[in-house]
RNA sequence: GGCGGGAUGGCAGAGCGGUUUAAUGCGGCGGUCUUGAAAACCGUUGAUGGGGUAACCUAUCCAUAGGUUCGAAUCCUAUUCCCGCCGCCA
């Protein structure tokens, strides 16, 4: 959520900076500014009445204690009864205005950072680095679904029976490889990169979803549990960022780094016919997430470090990738700046997103009310939050199958994973 | 699921219709003492919104949302969460 004062004081600047994003927020901003003006007018009026009431009530109390109430006191109580009615109606109107403001401001996206390229769609994203060389293959590389089905480690048909489309049953070495990847990533981030491991709930309430920005705008992307206020998480970002919702952190403890493995659940509304085969786009997938709470002045350095931590996974697995910075039009709703890591998939013949690393600045912190004090006596201010996939596990498994496939249909196990697979060197 | 108890400031904990601007303790901050520190003593101590150039003024906040009243932390209703006991259960 943006700072209402920033919008009030620099409406044209905000309008300009948001214009390059997807979605039109002109009307929302107009409604917001208009309601904000009404709110302050209404507030002043209600406050004056409350002040009068407080003064009168105190006097009534004092004099009642002294003795029998006189006529003028009874008169005063009558007057205050009327004032109370007026206050009630003003407060009611105020509540409505504040609802209007809240509805509008929750639908306004974050302002892109100055370093973000202006653009309309993914065509305008900018590549910032490329790492690794495709493994030499003296044969036509196959897509991962062919490899996985042939080895008997992935079964999409069976998952379709159990549940439906966009699910997968992992078997044997496939299931083991997925678990190996989760452990490998968690070990790397906890031991080498000093993140604290957490295992959060996989369902969250609507307040948490609002805090990180999934609600109210993107409800159709989520799975909601019937007759409850609970949603399946679309990413660990939601429960982990909300660990500190409504808290004031001690600045001396910042930055805080968390890593979490969770499954992720996405409705994928509007992506019918997209990536229909294989593991790329599933309703359920595993992910190891990195989340940071940092001081504002460090957040862009922290974003670079977060990106490096995620890249490290692919480097150790020796799989080629590139990093792109998303343009203003392609960026997520809550993000100020986002890097995507895209992994090379020889079977599909393209680069595919495997991680998304974002700095949200104070946008989520405002929504979730996450603050810190620089020193114990300082005024609280908002932290900056960041997160990134470190990595999407299902897509990493895809990358291993496609990059490590061999002419005979077997798949070599990357060296760093062999210890996690009881020494297994090849899946055949 | 049933019955009972509870939710108060960073923490602990009193208050149960009117000087409560929420007692007291711990913690934090400042000071005295000390070569320095500790202890002791003294003082101080929250959040959010609004108004004002400012000092400052003001409203709101005792789980959440409503209600009663001139006046609510305190009374009423609903909800959420926590803690017991019973039932069920991985």
């Amino acid at each position: 959520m943006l700072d209402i004062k920033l919008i009030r004081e620099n409406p044209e600047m905000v309008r300009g900076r948001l214009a390059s994003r997807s979605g039109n927020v002109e009307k929302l901003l107009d409604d917001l500014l208009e309601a904000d003006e009404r709110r302050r007018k209404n507030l002043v009026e209600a406050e004056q009445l409350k002040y009068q009431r407080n003064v009168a009530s105190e006097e009534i109390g004092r004099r009642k204690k002294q003795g029998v109430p006189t006529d003028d006191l009874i008169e005063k109580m009558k007057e205050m009864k009327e004032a109370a009615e007026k206050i009630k109606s003003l407060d009611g109107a105020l509540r409505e205005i504040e609802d209007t403001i809240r509805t509008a401001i929750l639908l306004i996206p974050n302002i892109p950072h100055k370093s973000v390229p202006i653009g309309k769609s993914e065509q305008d994203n900018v590549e910032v680095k490329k790492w690794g060389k495709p493994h030499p293959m003296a044969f036509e590389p196959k897509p991962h679904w062919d490899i996985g089905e042939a080895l008997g480690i992935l079964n999409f048909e069976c998952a379709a029976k159990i549940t439906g489309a966009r699910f997968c049953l992992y078997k044997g070495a496939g299931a083991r490889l997925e678990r190996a990847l989760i452990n490998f990533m968690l070990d790397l981030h906890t031991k080498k990169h000093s993140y604290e491991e957490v295992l959060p709930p996989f369902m969250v309430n609507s307040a948490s979803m609002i805090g990180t920005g999934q609600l109210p705008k993107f409800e159709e992307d989520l799975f909601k549990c019937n007759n409850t206020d609970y949603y399946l998480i679309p990413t660990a970002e939601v429960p982990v960022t909300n660990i500190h919702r409504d808290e004031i952190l001690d600045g001396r403890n910042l930055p805080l780094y968390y890593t979490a493995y969770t499954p992720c659940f996405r409705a994928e509304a509007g992506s019918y016919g997209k990536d229909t085969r294989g593991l790329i786009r599933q309703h359920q997938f595993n992910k190891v997430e990195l989340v940071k709470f940092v001081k504002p002045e460090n957040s862009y350095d922290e974003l670079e470090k977060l990106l490096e931590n995620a890249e490290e996974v692919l480097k150790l697995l020796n799989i080629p990738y590139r990093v792109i910075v998303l343009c203003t039009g392609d960026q997520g709703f809550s993000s100020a700046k986002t890097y995507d890591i895209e992994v090379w998939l020889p079977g599909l013949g393209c680069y595919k997103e495997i991680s998304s690393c974002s700095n949200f600045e104070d946008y989520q912190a405002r929504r979730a009310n996450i603050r810190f004090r620089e020193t114990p006596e300082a005024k609280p201010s908002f932290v900056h939050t960041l997160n990134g996939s470190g990595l999407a596990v299902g897509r990493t498994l895809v990358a291993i199958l496609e990059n490590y496939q061999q002419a005979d249909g077997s798949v070599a196990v990357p060296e760093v994973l062999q210890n996690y697979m009881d020494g297994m060197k090849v899946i055949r």
Side-chain angles (χ1 to χ4, degrees):
Chain A
M1 161 166 93
L2 300 181
D3 184 359
I4 182 83
K5 281 185 206 150
L6 179 81
I7 302 174
R8 186 190 298 154
E9 284 157 23
N10 312 282
E12 292 319 309
M13 186 277 282
V14 171
R15 231 182 265 277
R17 299 282 298 276
L18 290 179
S20 61
R21 297 199 55 131
S22 60
N24 191 347
V25 293
E26 285 287 313
K27 181 161 183 341
L28 280 172
L29 282 169
D30 289 341
D31 292 351
L32 185 65
L33 287 165
E34 183 273 331
D36 179 55
E37 184 119 10
R38 269 193 298 141
R39 171 177 173 270
R40 280 179 296 150
K41 233 186 200 159
N42 188 315
L43 194 62
V44 169
E45 195 181 342
E47 280 194 4
Q48 280 170 352
L49 273 171
K50 284 181 187 174
Y51 176 63
Q52 288 166 19
R53 179 194 66 186
N54 289 350
V55 171
S57 291
E58 200 191 312
E59 190 197 339
I60 291 166
R62 208 168 348 102
R63 287 179 53 192
K64 267 200 171 176
K65 241 181 192 174
Q66 284 163 0
V68 192
T70 55
D71 285 352
D72 68 310
L73 199 61
I74 289 163
E75 182 59 33
K76 187 149 234 163
M77 282 168 67
K78 229 182 235 165
E79 242 173 69
M80 284 305 108
K81 195 177 178 65
E82 281 164 31
E85 305 268 313
K86 180 89 208 238
I87 288 169
K88 195 177 271 185
S89 91
L90 281 170
D91 275 350
L94 199 60
R95 248 197 314 275
E96 266 179 51
I97 297 168
E98 281 171 351
D99 278 353
T100 306
I101 290 173
R102 191 169 164 74
T103 303
I105 205 164
L106 287 178
L107 292 172
I108 295 171
N110 201 356
I111 293 174
H113 187 253
K114 289 186 214 71
S115 66
V116 172
I118 309 281
K120 276 192 160 20
S121 73
E122 56 182 301
Q123 313 294 318
D124 303 312
N125 295 341
V126 176
E127 181 178 305
V128 296
K129 87 175 82 155
K130 210 167 205 163
W131 185 92
K133 286 206 169 74
H135 303 189
M137 286 179 199
F139 56 93
E140 189 63 28
K142 291 181 185 153
H144 65 277
W145 54 80
D146 285 347
I147 304 165
E149 279 170 349
L151 289 170
I153 60 174
L154 298 179
N155 191 333
F156 294 97
E157 237 171 82
C158 184
K161 172 177 73 181
I162 299 167
T163 309
R166 293 202 193 283
F167 287 89
C168 183
L169 175 70
Y170 293 64
K171 292 180 71 179
R176 186 62 193 271
L177 182 57
E178 181 89 358
R179 179 156 61 90
L181 279 168
I182 293 166
N183 286 332
F184 163 64
M185 291 179 196
L186 286 173
D187 283 348
L188 174 68
H189 296 313
T190 53
K191 292 177 186 167
K192 189 166 174 195
H193 301 146
S194 306
Y195 288 73
E196 184 179 3
E197 182 174 350
V198 290
L199 181 63
F202 301 159
M203 293 187 216
V204 299
N205 57 33
S206 54
S208 291
M209 286 293 190
I210 288 168
T212 34
Q214 283 72 21
L215 288 180
K217 202 172 171 192
F218 304 101
E219 174 134 34
E220 76 275 11
D221 296 336
L222 302 169
F223 286 109
K224 184 169 192 186
C225 301
N226 219 355
N227 300 323
T228 68
D229 183 43
Y230 299 161
Y231 295 81
L232 295 178
I233 56 170
T235 158
E237 161 192 354
V238 181
V240 178
T241 304
N242 278 283
I243 287 173
H244 294 298
R245 172 152 51 86
D246 293 321
E247 288 185 14
I248 301 176
L249 303 168
D250 186 335
R252 292 173 295 194
N253 297 333
L254 295 180
L256 294 173
Y257 292 7
Y258 293 105
T259 183
Y261 151 73
T262 71
C264 303
F265 303 91
R266 298 189 183 175
E268 295 295 348
S271 58
Y272 309 109
K274 223 175 163 183
D275 305 315
T276 49
R277 294 198 72 181
L279 279 176
I280 295 299
R281 195 171 297 273
Q282 300 267 293
H283 286 308
Q284 176 189 324
F285 62 95
N286 293 312
K287 185 152 63 70
V288 170
E289 186 76 359
L290 306 169
V291 176
K292 292 184 175 186
F293 300 83
V294 309
K295 292 185 189 175
E297 65 268 26
N298 302 330
S299 69
Y300 280 93
D301 288 342
E302 293 283 1
L303 177 61
E304 298 299 322
K305 282 202 266 175
L306 180 71
L307 175 65
E308 280 170 32
N309 295 155
E311 284 178 57
E312 177 92 2
V313 178
L314 289 175
K315 283 182 179 163
L316 290 171
L317 291 170
N318 191 27
I319 298 173
Y321 66 88
R322 66 178 184 185
V323 177
I324 59 174
V325 58
L326 299 192
C327 73
T328 51
D330 199 29
Q331 237 179 347
F333 180 79
S334 303
S335 174
K337 182 172 186 175
T338 298
Y339 291 111
D340 274 5
I341 302 176
E342 295 186 336
V343 71
W344 172 245
L345 299 179
L348 300 183
C350 64
Y351 281 96
K352 203 79 187 171
E353 177 189 343
I354 198 165
S355 173
S356 195
C357 300
S358 304
N359 183 0
F360 301 91
E361 298 190 4
D362 64 4
Y363 186 88
Q364 292 182 326
R366 269 179 208 287
R367 287 180 161 243
N369 193 26
I370 307 168
R371 293 172 293 169
F372 77 103
R373 282 184 216 275
E374 187 66 55
T375 60
E377 65 279 12
K379 280 266 161 209
S381 39
F382 290 106
V383 298
H384 280 193
T385 59
L386 299 92
N387 67 58
S389 347
L391 304 165
V393 180
R395 289 187 181 185
T396 306
L397 187 135
V398 167
I400 289 170
L401 296 185
E402 297 202 2
N403 283 279
Y404 281 84
Q405 60 181 303
Q406 305 182 114
D408 64 356
S410 66
V411 173
V413 176
E415 213 172 309
V416 288
L417 293 180
Q418 289 174 8
N419 279 342
Y420 290 93
M421 302 276 290
D422 283 337
M424 188 188 290
K425 289 188 163 64
V426 181
I427 300 171
R428 58 175 89 246

